[in-house]
Amino acid sequence: MKISIQKEDFDLGVEVKAISGNPKIGAVASFIGLVRDVEMTLEHYPGMTERAIGGIVEEARTRWQVMDCSVIHRYGVLKPNDQIVLVAVASGHRGDAFAACEFIMDYLKTRAPFWKKEWSAGGARWVEAKDVDDKAAERWR
Amino acid sequence: MKVKVLYFASIREKLGRDAEEIELPAEVATVASLRSHLRSRGGAWEDALAEGKLLRAAVNQDMSQPTAAIKAGDEVAFFPPVTGG
């Protein structure tokens, strides 16, 4: 199980390969989030971020078969089309891989301490949290 | 008792600081009472931590409710709802 909060970019192929070594793994589902439209600065709470994501991954493991996973979230300055976040889950079968991947992403959105500040011609503004993200996370209760 | 308090994102900017150590009076023993204690400093504090404002708090790096207890040596953080992913 890999959790990394980093400034650097990441490579999906490398991450998938790293979690697919076990011959019992029959499925890997992955999600990548990209920066839409405007440049942004991402801030996080070092220590708590890793801890929060670790807790989310542990919860996913109690619900589905998660044989390995990789969660990477970037911080710092990011430009349109840059990769922000990766969640990849390896499992025996696709159902568990898909579900765990979506669950981890939905919980990360509402529980991991990251904040986005967008920069546009009009100046800088902190992104507001969205109800739709809370609703997405509530589905899993 | 002494606690460490951290501020993030828009709260940090409004307050002009990211962390401090504070000596608290004995009656300040929950997240909510710490928030109102800080608010009593007035000015930017009253605004950034205003009662109606939607804020989150963490105690020792765990997301916590306003009723959560705080004790000496704890790390308490205040921040807006998160927007990662």
Side-chain angles (χ1 to χ4, degrees), chain A residues 1-54:
Chain A
M1 309 283 157
K2 169 179 170 177
I3 293 165
S4 177
I5 313 304
Q6 61 189 48
K7 278 193 170 163
E8 302 73 35
D9 199 9
F10 50 80
D11 183 311
L12 173 64
V14 170
E15 299 307 319
V16 168
K17 196 167 179 197
I19 61 171
S20 312
N22 184 336
K24 293 212 171 355
I25 288 169
V28 176
S30 66
F31 171 87
I32 289 177
L34 305 175
V35 177
R36 208 171 25 233
D37 299 330
V38 295
E39 185 170 323
M40 62 173 64
T41 305
L42 256 153
E43 172 178 338
H44 77 111
Y45 179 173
M48 180 175 169
T49 313
E50 291 83 351
R51 187 177 160 81
I53 295 174

Side-chain angles (χ1 to χ4, degrees), chain A residues 111-124:
Chain A
R111 298 178 182 203
F114 287 99
W115 303 274
K116 288 179 183 140
K117 188 180 200 180
E118 293 182 344
W119 301 83
S120 62

Side-chain angles (χ1 to χ4, degrees), chain A:
Chain A
M1 309 283 157
K2 169 179 170 177
I3 293 165
S4 177
I5 313 304
Q6 61 189 48
K7 278 193 170 163
E8 302 73 35
D9 199 9
F10 50 80
D11 183 311
L12 173 64
V14 170
E15 299 307 319
V16 168
K17 196 167 179 197
I19 61 171
S20 312
N22 184 336
K24 293 212 171 355
I25 288 169
V28 176
S30 66
F31 171 87
I32 289 177
L34 305 175
V35 177
R36 208 171 25 233
D37 299 330
V38 295
E39 185 170 323
M40 62 173 64
T41 305
L42 256 153
E43 172 178 338
H44 77 111
Y45 179 173
M48 180 175 169
T49 313
E50 291 83 351
R51 187 177 160 81
I53 295 174
I56 294 166
V57 168
E58 280 315 303
E59 184 156 354
R61 292 181 70 185
T62 67
R63 299 187 184 207
W64 299 282
Q65 182 200 44
V66 176
M67 294 171 72
D68 204 350
C69 79
S70 179
V71 181
I72 302 176
H73 203 301
R74 295 176 68 193
Y75 67 95
V77 178
L78 296 169
K79 296 190 161 38
N81 221 240
D82 277 354
Q83 304 190 110
I84 305 178
V85 59
L86 163 85
V87 176
V89 177
S91 184
H93 301 277
R94 70 181 183 286
D96 284 41
F98 274 132
C101 182
E102 191 170 18
F103 168 86
I104 291 169
M105 197 55 221
D106 282 347
Y107 267 40
L108 184 153
K109 280 258 198 230
T110 54
R111 298 178 182 203
F114 287 99
W115 303 274
K116 288 179 183 140
K117 188 180 200 180
E118 293 182 344
W119 301 83
S120 62
R125 112 192 149 84
W126 289 98
V127 174
E128 303 259 339
K130 295 189 194 80
D131 271 356
V132 59
D133 290 330
D134 286 329
K135 292 209 169 66
E138 276 165 23
R139 290 181 301 149
W140 299 101
R141 280 174 182 256

Side-chain angles (χ1 to χ4, degrees), chain B residues 11-34:
Chain B
I11 310 295
R12 170 178 54 73
E13 282 186 349
K14 278 186 194 142
L15 299 177
R17 74 176 66 173
D18 57 6
E20 63 182 313
E21 296 241 353
I22 320 179
E23 184 67 42
L24 294 176
E27 68 270 19
V28 179
T30 64
V31 167
S33 59
L34 172 59

